[in-house]
Amino acid sequence: MAFGPFRLWPDERLLTRNDEPVPIGGRSFDLLVALIERPGAVLSKRDLLKRVWSDVVVEDGSLRFHMAGLRKLLADGQDGARYIATQVGVGYAFVAPVERRAATGGASGVAAQSADRVESRGVGRAPNLPPQPRLVGREGDVELLGERIAGTPLFTIVGPAGVGKTSLAVEIAHRRVADFGGHVAFVDFAMLENPAIVPSMIAGAMGIAVDGDDPLAVILGHVRERQFLLVLDNCEHLIESTATIVEHFIDEAPLMRIIATSREPLRVRGEHVHRLGALPYPEDAGRLTTEQILAYPAVELFCSRVAAADSDFAPKDESVRLAADICRRLDGMALPIELVAVRAATHGIPATARQLGERFSLGWSGRRTAQRRQQTLRATLDWSYDLLSAAEAILFERLSIFVGPFSVDAALDVAADKNLGADEAALALDELAAKSLVSVNRTGGTGIYRLLEMTRAYARDKLRVRGGGEYAAAARRHAGYYLAELESITSHDESSLEDTGPLRQQLGNIRSALDFSFGDDGDLKIGVRLAAASAPAFLNLSHLLECQRWCARALAEAKAATGSAGNGIMPEVELELQGALGAALMFTQGSGTAAGDALGRALDLATRLEDSWNQLRMLARLHIFNKRLGDYAAARLHAERAVEVAVQIGDDEAFGIAYSLSGISQYLAGNLVRAREELEQALMRSGPTLRSRTIRYGFDNHSRTGIALAYTLWLAGETEQANRLARQTVRETEQLEHGITQCIALVWGAIIHLWSGDHEAAEEAVDTLSTRAEASALTPYIIAAEGFRGALDFERSLGADALVILEKSIAGLRAARYELLVTPFMLMLLWGLVRGDRSREARDLVEDAISRCAQLGELFAMPELFRIKAELVQRLNSDRATSEILMRDALSLARQQGARAWQDRIENMLSGQDGGTPK
């Protein structure tokens, strides 16, 4: 076996250099044989110790000692010679090309073998390649390019800095060495600055001696009719000279194949471009198991590099989830992941995750042996930035204002000014995309651009350093652009809010624009309008706390600036701010005074503006506010006014809203027949469930009407129909993906299923309610979910504290002023107390409940409350006469209401059947 000037004779335990014997110890010889037998493969320390010291037990120190001696003997590292590479924490690999030759006489025939050596001039047979990398997550790319190399003159691997282009090219070359008979060479242009030297550098890497002044002609003379695989790495800064030479190779050396790596295509004839994307990483690791997270290539790479630098590292749940978040913030880019992993091995993953902030720690160092441009993220990006034209550099910096994706229109609107025209900016954007500094997603036919996070942090540093008010000017144009976009959507094109994907992608830009506008260098007028325009977006995506925060801030700062509430804000803008603030407060904190004041102010403004649709919007929100508060008289008045406004508008959608409000008020008052009629009318006229309507009112009226009708049907004794409609309504809200709407349906759906005895369906609804309420920070619904769990536990005899949990939930609902659910929960608690032989506690509670419902006008529950009171009177006082009077009153009221569900229970109890308190 031959490598460089050396030849190894395993059978005769002889090593020669230029046909001269080389003295080598036995253990060192065995080490060399083991490494050469598997060139390019990393052999673990354990495997080498077992192979070479099979007869004794030795420490790692012996292996290191003999490996150091072997490297010295081979002159490893001198004059550019590389033979043995160390994989830190793993083992060693023989990295020089090895050529196997048939023996012709053993050691005595050494001289005779010299004729078989590779020519000292011309193309050599030993491939000139860097060590084979340990790729993670690139098998698909390797297979695709490897299969197509034979028929493709030039493959250019294009991608942003640090994505792993070089590693991919080297891996493919290693795997295709045999296909080209060892005629493989690697050329790294990273340290080359003079384009005139490119041909000479290629010739040297190919092992071709050039005596004349035309190295290209000499190269072509050697490869014109010969197979050869040439890897040209880091071409971007020498792209013109490289492209010229490559075209000559393509035209005049038909058997030659070239793999180039560059941050932009070479743009020559016959070029095939392979755009290398980031390594996959989990977008939301919270929903995945540790094993699932580790299966993502980006996380696998990170953890493997941490383990290589810290032998004590063991991936655990918390550290793996933090690693996934780090990989997400680094956009799955290989080089940044490796650099950060080195830091994590020293400082720990939690500390590293905390330190990885806005600036992405651009100065953190990686391997000392890496090329200088790859030792820090800043150095990597400096390499690309220094190649930009003046216009490209200005645009690159200004684009850092965007947080997340942006369109070409957004880019030009924000980046262009008197110093950088729109046409010039458009050309510069194309060049930045070609140079992989801007990522482009052309899915669906529209170009959507973005800067990778590490790139954006770098560009933003540059923009701040540029000075001259550049940063503030770009940020102001950015805020103005998103203000115009959002105002256009909410005033003219609400249908665009049906698909939440594009809107969700722009949240980063909206938040950034708001932060700037309310900041020291911002513009308060833009900020106030932007808060109002973005409120529907936050409500749409169930970001209620954020909606509340920005609306409250806009109103407070406008008041501070003008000295009086509302003065200085356009009424239309204040209406939107107050209405959104009231809805957000109501659903996150409960029906408090602040929420009611905001909604009342919004209705006053809509009335003053004679804006009928906004009056209807605010009446709908005030109706649900007062209903939750337990002020059913006020809710009924709002419903009656909504009907009047709907008549003025004369539109089916308006009637759908108004009849829904009125129908809900009717069932609460115990008028079930009229409630059913109005709710069915509302469903018929409200139209399909659409996000645009949901956002307009703060909840989806169609599904709210549906679940109210389902509850009305249950009270009317139509249990099967009620459960069917409840399930259908919940399914519709799932597709809508709107937190408030889904929680409304789930709460009443859970009651219907639970009261119907379908505990499995009830539990499923409660689980979903809990998850959705917590995800959207809807505190009253979180409290309700706990109460449902208590009721379910009691029904299934799963805990002695089940009723205690239910009692705590009732207290929590009252504290949140969510009175609407108190009565259903009190009914469930009463049933539990009666069944649990706690009649005295139940007596006090039923009296309180009857008094409360009478005061509120919540009459739908009265028949059942009277029935329970009658049962308790008979149990505690043995007063059958009084009990029967109460029962007759309850029956009469149930019949009057059309409440067949309560009527059946009362009649069963009167007839002596066990059909009273649910079991």
Side-chain angles (χ1 to χ4, degrees), residues 854-870:
Q855 182 181 357
L856 296 178
E858 194 175 26
L859 304 182
F860 78 91
M862 287 297 241
E864 177 63 0
L865 290 172
F866 281 140
R867 186 199 65 76
I868 295 171
K869 180 177 179 180

PDB file of all heavy atoms in Angstrom, residues 854-870:
ATOM      1  N   ALA A 854     -83.001  34.408  40.995  1.00  0.00           N
ATOM      2  CA  ALA A 854     -84.165  35.290  40.959  1.00  0.00           C
ATOM      3  C   ALA A 854     -83.730  36.742  40.806  1.00  0.00           C
ATOM      4  O   ALA A 854     -84.325  37.526  40.058  1.00  0.00           O
ATOM      5  CB  ALA A 854     -84.999  35.110  42.230  1.00  0.00           C
ATOM      6  N   GLN A 855     -82.662  37.105  41.523  1.00  0.00           N
ATOM      7  CA  GLN A 855     -82.157  38.477  41.469  1.00  0.00           C
ATOM      8  C   GLN A 855     -81.589  38.811  40.094  1.00  0.00           C
ATOM      9  O   GLN A 855     -81.810  39.908  39.565  1.00  0.00           O
ATOM     10  CB  GLN A 855     -81.081  38.660  42.545  1.00  0.00           C
ATOM     11  CG  GLN A 855     -80.514  40.073  42.598  1.00  0.00           C
ATOM     12  CD  GLN A 855     -79.429  40.215  43.667  1.00  0.00           C
ATOM     13  OE1 GLN A 855     -79.149  39.264  44.400  1.00  0.00           O
ATOM     14  NE2 GLN A 855     -78.835  41.377  43.763  1.00  0.00           N
ATOM     15  N   LEU A 856     -80.879  37.853  39.482  1.00  0.00           N
ATOM     16  CA  LEU A 856     -80.248  38.091  38.192  1.00  0.00           C
ATOM     17  C   LEU A 856     -81.222  37.951  37.018  1.00  0.00           C
ATOM     18  O   LEU A 856     -80.930  38.413  35.918  1.00  0.00           O
ATOM     19  CB  LEU A 856     -79.083  37.107  37.982  1.00  0.00           C
ATOM     20  CG  LEU A 856     -77.902  37.210  38.951  1.00  0.00           C
ATOM     21  CD1 LEU A 856     -76.864  36.131  38.630  1.00  0.00           C
ATOM     22  CD2 LEU A 856     -77.260  38.584  38.870  1.00  0.00           C
ATOM     23  N   GLY A 857     -82.322  37.276  37.241  1.00  0.00           N
ATOM     24  CA  GLY A 857     -83.224  36.979  36.132  1.00  0.00           C
ATOM     25  C   GLY A 857     -82.775  35.771  35.343  1.00  0.00           C
ATOM     26  O   GLY A 857     -83.146  35.595  34.176  1.00  0.00           O
ATOM     27  N   GLU A 858     -81.969  34.917  35.979  1.00  0.00           N
ATOM     28  CA  GLU A 858     -81.470  33.694  35.341  1.00  0.00           C
ATOM     29  C   GLU A 858     -82.459  32.573  35.673  1.00  0.00           C
ATOM     30  O   GLU A 858     -82.220  31.721  36.521  1.00  0.00           O
ATOM     31  CB  GLU A 858     -80.072  33.379  35.873  1.00  0.00           C
ATOM     32  CG  GLU A 858     -79.328  32.344  35.065  1.00  0.00           C
ATOM     33  CD  GLU A 858     -77.896  32.155  35.579  1.00  0.00           C
ATOM     34  OE1 GLU A 858     -77.640  32.412  36.769  1.00  0.00           O
ATOM     35  OE2 GLU A 858     -77.042  31.769  34.781  1.00  0.00           O
ATOM     36  N   LEU A 859     -83.573  32.548  34.954  1.00  0.00           N
ATOM     37  CA  LEU A 859     -84.704  31.718  35.359  1.00  0.00           C
ATOM     38  C   LEU A 859     -84.668  30.311  34.780  1.00  0.00           C
ATOM     39  O   LEU A 859     -85.444  29.455  35.229  1.00  0.00           O
ATOM     40  CB  LEU A 859     -86.011  32.420  34.949  1.00  0.00           C
ATOM     41  CG  LEU A 859     -86.191  33.847  35.494  1.00  0.00           C
ATOM     42  CD1 LEU A 859     -87.532  34.403  35.056  1.00  0.00           C
ATOM     43  CD2 LEU A 859     -86.053  33.881  37.015  1.00  0.00           C
ATOM     44  N   PHE A 860     -83.804  30.039  33.795  1.00  0.00           N
ATOM     45  CA  PHE A 860     -83.812  28.729  33.157  1.00  0.00           C
ATOM     46  C   PHE A 860     -83.507  27.608  34.147  1.00  0.00           C
ATOM     47  O   PHE A 860     -83.924  26.462  33.960  1.00  0.00           O
ATOM     48  CB  PHE A 860     -82.816  28.688  31.998  1.00  0.00           C
ATOM     49  CG  PHE A 860     -81.383  28.525  32.422  1.00  0.00           C
ATOM     50  CD1 PHE A 860     -80.818  27.254  32.540  1.00  0.00           C
ATOM     51  CD2 PHE A 860     -80.589  29.617  32.717  1.00  0.00           C
ATOM     52  CE1 PHE A 860     -79.500  27.090  32.940  1.00  0.00           C
ATOM     53  CE2 PHE A 860     -79.275  29.466  33.113  1.00  0.00           C
ATOM     54  CZ  PHE A 860     -78.728  28.198  33.227  1.00  0.00           C
ATOM     55  N   ALA A 861     -82.741  27.903  35.221  1.00  0.00           N
ATOM     56  CA  ALA A 861     -82.349  26.873  36.190  1.00  0.00           C
ATOM     57  C   ALA A 861     -83.339  26.729  37.341  1.00  0.00           C
ATOM     58  O   ALA A 861     -83.230  25.806  38.154  1.00  0.00           O
ATOM     59  CB  ALA A 861     -80.965  27.183  36.745  1.00  0.00           C
ATOM     60  N   MET A 862     -84.334  27.622  37.429  1.00  0.00           N
ATOM     61  CA  MET A 862     -85.223  27.628  38.595  1.00  0.00           C
ATOM     62  C   MET A 862     -86.004  26.325  38.782  1.00  0.00           C
ATOM     63  O   MET A 862     -86.134  25.847  39.924  1.00  0.00           O
ATOM     64  CB  MET A 862     -86.180  28.815  38.509  1.00  0.00           C
ATOM     65  CG  MET A 862     -85.488  30.143  38.781  1.00  0.00           C
ATOM     66  SD  MET A 862     -84.833  30.253  40.456  1.00  0.00           S
ATOM     67  CE  MET A 862     -85.748  31.630  41.077  1.00  0.00           C
ATOM     68  N   PRO A 863     -86.567  25.709  37.738  1.00  0.00           N
ATOM     69  CA  PRO A 863     -87.295  24.456  37.972  1.00  0.00           C
ATOM     70  C   PRO A 863     -86.432  23.394  38.649  1.00  0.00           C
ATOM     71  O   PRO A 863     -86.886  22.699  39.567  1.00  0.00           O
ATOM     72  CB  PRO A 863     -87.717  24.027  36.555  1.00  0.00           C
ATOM     73  CG  PRO A 863     -87.771  25.292  35.771  1.00  0.00           C
ATOM     74  CD  PRO A 863     -86.664  26.139  36.313  1.00  0.00           C
ATOM     75  N   GLU A 864     -85.181  23.257  38.211  1.00  0.00           N
ATOM     76  CA  GLU A 864     -84.317  22.243  38.804  1.00  0.00           C
ATOM     77  C   GLU A 864     -83.914  22.624  40.220  1.00  0.00           C
ATOM     78  O   GLU A 864     -83.811  21.760  41.100  1.00  0.00           O
ATOM     79  CB  GLU A 864     -83.073  22.039  37.930  1.00  0.00           C
ATOM     80  CG  GLU A 864     -82.041  21.066  38.472  1.00  0.00           C
ATOM     81  CD  GLU A 864     -82.554  19.616  38.608  1.00  0.00           C
ATOM     82  OE1 GLU A 864     -83.744  19.356  38.277  1.00  0.00           O
ATOM     83  OE2 GLU A 864     -81.780  18.756  39.052  1.00  0.00           O
ATOM     84  N   LEU A 865     -83.712  23.915  40.482  1.00  0.00           N
ATOM     85  CA  LEU A 865     -83.359  24.349  41.835  1.00  0.00           C
ATOM     86  C   LEU A 865     -84.526  24.087  42.795  1.00  0.00           C
ATOM     87  O   LEU A 865     -84.329  23.644  43.940  1.00  0.00           O
ATOM     88  CB  LEU A 865     -82.982  25.834  41.839  1.00  0.00           C
ATOM     89  CG  LEU A 865     -81.649  26.174  41.154  1.00  0.00           C
ATOM     90  CD1 LEU A 865     -81.488  27.685  41.042  1.00  0.00           C
ATOM     91  CD2 LEU A 865     -80.475  25.572  41.938  1.00  0.00           C
ATOM     92  N   PHE A 866     -85.759  24.350  42.352  1.00  0.00           N
ATOM     93  CA  PHE A 866     -86.927  24.056  43.189  1.00  0.00           C
ATOM     94  C   PHE A 866     -87.050  22.554  43.428  1.00  0.00           C
ATOM     95  O   PHE A 866     -87.420  22.112  44.536  1.00  0.00           O
ATOM     96  CB  PHE A 866     -88.201  24.586  42.528  1.00  0.00           C
ATOM     97  CG  PHE A 866     -88.407  26.068  42.692  1.00  0.00           C
ATOM     98  CD1 PHE A 866     -88.894  26.844  41.643  1.00  0.00           C
ATOM     99  CD2 PHE A 866     -88.103  26.704  43.891  1.00  0.00           C
ATOM    100  CE1 PHE A 866     -89.080  28.208  41.788  1.00  0.00           C
ATOM    101  CE2 PHE A 866     -88.292  28.070  44.038  1.00  0.00           C
ATOM    102  CZ  PHE A 866     -88.767  28.830  42.972  1.00  0.00           C
ATOM    103  N   ARG A 867     -86.757  21.750  42.421  1.00  0.00           N
ATOM    104  CA  ARG A 867     -86.835  20.295  42.589  1.00  0.00           C
ATOM    105  C   ARG A 867     -85.833  19.825  43.639  1.00  0.00           C
ATOM    106  O   ARG A 867     -86.139  18.998  44.506  1.00  0.00           O
ATOM    107  CB  ARG A 867     -86.566  19.588  41.258  1.00  0.00           C
ATOM    108  CG  ARG A 867     -86.786  18.077  41.339  1.00  0.00           C
ATOM    109  CD  ARG A 867     -86.096  17.356  40.205  1.00  0.00           C
ATOM    110  NE  ARG A 867     -84.646  17.482  40.264  1.00  0.00           N
ATOM    111  CZ  ARG A 867     -83.870  16.805  41.117  1.00  0.00           C
ATOM    112  NH1 ARG A 867     -84.400  15.973  41.995  1.00  0.00           N
ATOM    113  NH2 ARG A 867     -82.563  16.987  41.101  1.00  0.00           N
ATOM    114  N   ILE A 868     -84.592  20.356  43.546  1.00  0.00           N
ATOM    115  CA  ILE A 868     -83.562  19.961  44.520  1.00  0.00           C
ATOM    116  C   ILE A 868     -83.971  20.402  45.924  1.00  0.00           C
ATOM    117  O   ILE A 868     -83.824  19.653  46.907  1.00  0.00           O
ATOM    118  CB  ILE A 868     -82.197  20.580  44.132  1.00  0.00           C
ATOM    119  CG1 ILE A 868     -81.716  19.996  42.797  1.00  0.00           C
ATOM    120  CG2 ILE A 868     -81.160  20.333  45.217  1.00  0.00           C
ATOM    121  CD1 ILE A 868     -80.495  20.688  42.226  1.00  0.00           C
ATOM    122  N   LYS A 869     -84.535  21.620  46.026  1.00  0.00           N
ATOM    123  CA  LYS A 869     -84.975  22.103  47.340  1.00  0.00           C
ATOM    124  C   LYS A 869     -86.069  21.197  47.896  1.00  0.00           C
ATOM    125  O   LYS A 869     -86.059  20.856  49.098  1.00  0.00           O
ATOM    126  CB  LYS A 869     -85.486  23.536  47.212  1.00  0.00           C
ATOM    127  CG  LYS A 869     -85.958  24.118  48.544  1.00  0.00           C
ATOM    128  CD  LYS A 869     -86.399  25.566  48.400  1.00  0.00           C
ATOM    129  CE  LYS A 869     -86.886  26.103  49.752  1.00  0.00           C
ATOM    130  NZ  LYS A 869     -87.329  27.526  49.644  1.00  0.00           N
ATOM    131  N   ALA A 870     -86.985  20.777  47.016  1.00  0.00           N
ATOM    132  CA  ALA A 870     -88.059  19.886  47.449  1.00  0.00           C
ATOM    133  C   ALA A 870     -87.497  18.568  47.966  1.00  0.00           C
ATOM    134  O   ALA A 870     -87.943  18.036  49.002  1.00  0.00           O
ATOM    135  CB  ALA A 870     -89.027  19.638  46.291  1.00  0.00           C
TER     136      ALA A 870
END
